[in-house]
Amino acid sequence: MGKKGKIALVIEGGGFKSVFSAGVLDAFLINRLNPFDIYIGVSSGAMALSYYITDQYKMYFSLSKEVSVNTEFLSYTHALSDQGYMDLKFLSEYARKNHPLELQNMKEFKENKKFYIVATNLDNGDPVYLEPDKQNIYKCLRATSSLPFFTKGKCKINGIELMDGAWSDPIPVKSAIDFGANKVIVIRPNPSDYKMRGLSYLGLFAGYWWKNNLKVRDIFFKEHNYYNRSVDYLMQEHKNIQIIQICPDNLLKSSVVGTTQEDLTLDYHCGLEKGLDFLNANVV
């Protein structure tokens, strides 16, 4: 293949289901595996990825367990208020106080490494690839997780209103390749052949909410097409490109917006097991 290419680590989002991805990443941390040149995270996957980059074992799992039963974070009584069902501002402040990112570890990144957090531009529906630093990483994480109705809905960075990156680039493997990777490890909290069967209720409501912005409206109304197209891309043969998926065999116990601590624990251990299976079967 000529000169050595770059290796990318891509983490799909998934709300509470991202505890599976955190399990895989913790298996990597235990075994000191971090050969990656490019890191790309979406939504909750970006937060799990951030704890991996800052070398913090089991931190995302602990945070998820605590906030899953915290009514200040999840509250139906807040669903129609400014903060929404999920209060991302509370989550950000809770994480800073109780499970802070060891941001000094980010400085240890070599200059040739890149870390991207995917968000969606609310003006035109295009993906935005944020490059977080010590000053703005918590805001970037809020932006990539902002969902209409479930959260406040948007977050402004550099004058641009942003929301969840899953709407514009749900599994950013092609983006990783565009950034220069020729080997991509992608961690997904869904089985490898999982596809969306149709429009979700969230996509339907959000599409009507943004009916006057045609580009953004179409993103919501066609969310299943965007997602399924990303899955198809993973399954295709790509010349001089290697794509490896790490996924659960079956649907996880947790859901995107709700779970129990017992189900979180099961899904986390499933991720740990899959991470160890990958390490046993692959030389990265």
Side-chain angles (χ1 to χ4, degrees), residues 81-84 86 88 120 122 142-143 145-155 161-164 167 209-210 220:
S81 69
D82 284 344
Q83 69 261 39
M86 286 184 175
L88 292 181
T120 300
L122 258 175
R142 279 176 61 187
S145 300
S146 294
L147 287 163
F149 302 108
F150 279 104
T151 72
K152 193 170 183 179
K154 58 189 176 183
C155 181
E161 291 190 337
L162 302 168
M163 66 173 181
D164 196 318
W167 295 104
W209 185 265
W210 267 284
F220 290 119

Side-chain angles (χ1 to χ4, degrees), residues 219-237:
I219 276 189
F220 290 119
F221 281 161
K222 297 176 181 178
E223 62 168 333
H224 52 299
N225 294 332
Y226 278 88
Y227 187 84
N228 295 343
R229 202 178 302 143
S230 294
V231 176
D232 288 339
Y233 186 84
L234 295 180
M235 301 297 190
Q236 294 167 6
E237 290 287 333

Side-chain angles (χ1 to χ4, degrees), residues 110-130:
K110 294 178 181 177
E111 288 185 6
N112 60 347
K113 292 196 173 194
K114 289 290 188 178
F115 175 24
Y116 300 99
I117 291 177
V118 186
T120 300
N121 186 324
L122 258 175
D123 288 333
N124 55 27
D126 292 339
V128 176
Y129 302 94
L130 303 168

Side-chain angles (χ1 to χ4, degrees), residues 247-281:
C247 309
D249 295 328
N250 304 297
L251 292 173
L252 296 173
K253 303 285 187 183
S254 305
S255 71
V256 173
V257 295
T259 188
T260 65
Q261 290 187 328
E262 292 76 16
D263 286 346
L264 274 175
T265 302
L266 288 170
D267 291 342
Y268 172 75
H269 283 288
C270 177
L272 272 177
E273 183 177 340
K274 284 296 180 183
L276 293 173
D277 287 347
F278 169 82
L279 289 166
N280 287 330

Side-chain angles (χ1 to χ4, degrees), residues 66-84:
E66 290 169 23
V67 299
S68 69
V69 293
N70 192 312
T71 55
E72 290 187 74
F73 175 52
L74 300 174
S75 174
Y76 285 107
T77 61
H78 296 158
L80 297 178
S81 69
D82 284 344
Q83 69 261 39

Side-chain angles (χ1 to χ4, degrees), residues 164-208:
D164 196 318
W167 295 104
S168 54
D169 196 358
I171 314 173
V173 168
K174 185 178 184 304
S175 300
I177 294 167
D178 291 341
F179 286 132
N182 65 356
K183 183 171 186 176
V184 183
I185 311 302
V186 53
I187 303 175
R188 302 180 55 207
N190 294 303
S192 60
D193 60 351
Y194 172 82
K195 287 190 174 183
M196 293 182 66
R197 294 182 179 178
L199 184 64
S200 69
Y201 287 116
L202 177 57
L204 181 65
F205 291 139
Y208 280 115

